[in-house]
Amino acid sequence: MNRKPLALFAIALSLQIIIPSLVSSVKAQPTSANGSQSIQSRLAADVTFEPPGSDKPDDTAGGASRGSGCPQEVIITGGCVVPLMPGNRDGLTVTGRPTFFIYVPQNSAKEVFFSLEDQNNKNIYQTRIALTGKSGILQFTLPENAPSLEVGKNYRWAFVVVGEQGLRPDSPGIQGRIKRIEPDAALLSQLQNVTPIERAALYGKKGIWHETLASLAQARKLQPTDANLVSQWEQLLKSVGLEAIASQPLLN
């Protein structure tokens, strides 16, 4: 008896069973970029901030202490402009045109005034930023027409809310210090081909505040409904004493 036809029939039957199963498995895989990014964001390391050591901005950029600050109960009722910064308001950046974040309470002001001084107290850039009247977190990136921050230099920034009577000595405002540093070779290598959430985690471990926050904000904008990213954002702000505004929305 010739068994070859029976063997071929068995192989064909097996293929009819296996191939549809493989096709079904492939179709079940997520095909959207957002789906892939969402999985990556859940698998990424938690974003934490480790304060820098010797690289931190020094006092040559002028005083920027918290002073009396803004009490938590006043922030909750929307009574203060608050910088999204660690408690000492010192921050590192690796870019010449960093992004700043501030919480703006709901008010009638139409603008906020921004100024930047170098370590010799010389004003190098100033501008006005339009407000919407809504409470939330405003972000501002130093534009192309502003001087680029130089590596190793200290700078002082300030935001002042412009009321109906214009800029006044008693206008509500905040200030802080920033220093640009050169990222080391190891960090540059790790930053290759990573997602925004992974980038935020890498910057946070190095104590580079401005890019930690900016990368995490970018991740949230790409996936605004991702609960993990919302949680990461809130936990990061709480870790530097900003729990009162941790759940405030991003305005832009």
Side-chain angles (χ1 to χ4, degrees):
M1 178 177 179
N2 188 353
R3 298 181 179 274
K4 182 179 267 188
L6 290 176
L8 292 175
F9 174 77
I11 292 172
L13 182 61
S14 298
L15 290 174
Q16 288 177 348
I17 295 173
I18 293 172
I19 290 175
S21 176
L22 289 174
V23 172
S24 175
S25 175
V26 170
K27 288 182 177 179
Q29 298 300 318
T31 57
S32 71
N34 287 339
S36 175
Q37 291 175 352
S38 180
I39 291 172
Q40 289 176 340
S41 72
R42 287 193 292 271
L43 296 177
D46 288 341
V47 179
T48 58
F49 179 69
E50 300 179 13
S54 58
D55 281 331
K56 67 181 181 179
D58 59 45
D59 292 334
T60 60
S65 62
R66 186 178 290 273
S68 59
C70 184
Q72 291 285 330
E73 60 271 18
V74 179
I75 299 175
I76 293 171
T77 59
C80 289
V81 178
V82 182
L84 272 65
M85 295 290 295
N88 57 9
R89 296 188 184 175
D90 290 345
L92 296 180
T93 182
V94 295
T95 179
R97 292 183 169 83
T99 300
F100 302 84
F101 294 80
I102 61 170
Y103 164 73
V104 181
Q106 184 174 4
N107 58 66
S108 60
K110 302 298 182 183
E111 295 177 320
V112 62
F113 175 80
F114 171 81
S115 68
L116 184 68
E117 296 181 352
D118 64 15
Q119 58 191 31
N120 298 316
N121 297 322
K122 178 183 177 181
N123 189 285
I124 62 172
Y125 181 75
Q126 60 186 35
T127 190
R128 296 190 180 215
I129 306 162
L131 297 177
T132 64
K134 299 178 181 179
S135 64
I137 294 169
L138 175 73
Q139 67 180 66
F140 170 72
T141 301
L142 206 61
E144 290 296 323
N145 64 341
S148 177
L149 303 190
E150 296 182 42
V151 174
K153 298 287 183 70
N154 295 278
Y155 298 85
R156 182 172 62 184
W157 53 262
F159 287 91
V160 181
V161 175
V162 182
E164 294 180 356
Q165 298 180 346
L167 284 173
R168 296 168 51 89
D170 59 348
S171 295
I174 49 172
Q175 63 179 4
R177 288 187 295 260
I178 185 171
K179 179 181 181 181
R180 182 183 177 185
I181 63 169
E182 193 75 55
D184 58 43
L187 177 60
L188 288 175
S189 177
Q190 291 174 319
L191 289 170
Q192 298 297 315
N193 302 317
V194 296
T195 62
I197 183 69
E198 292 167 336
R199 192 183 310 125
L202 289 169
Y203 281 127
K205 291 182 185 300
K206 291 290 187 177
I208 303 170
W209 175 257
H210 285 269
E211 277 66 57
T212 301
L213 203 59
S215 297
L216 195 49
Q218 181 188 9
R220 286 196 62 188
K221 286 186 176 181
L222 291 173
Q223 298 171 261
T225 60
D226 190 312
N228 176 64
L229 293 177
V230 173
S231 176
Q232 294 267 19
W233 175 270
E234 293 182 356
Q235 289 302 316
L236 177 64
L237 294 189
K238 289 176 182 178
S239 73
V240 294
L242 296 172
E243 55 272 8
I245 59 173
S247 61
Q248 289 292 323
L250 296 172
L251 296 178
N252 55 356

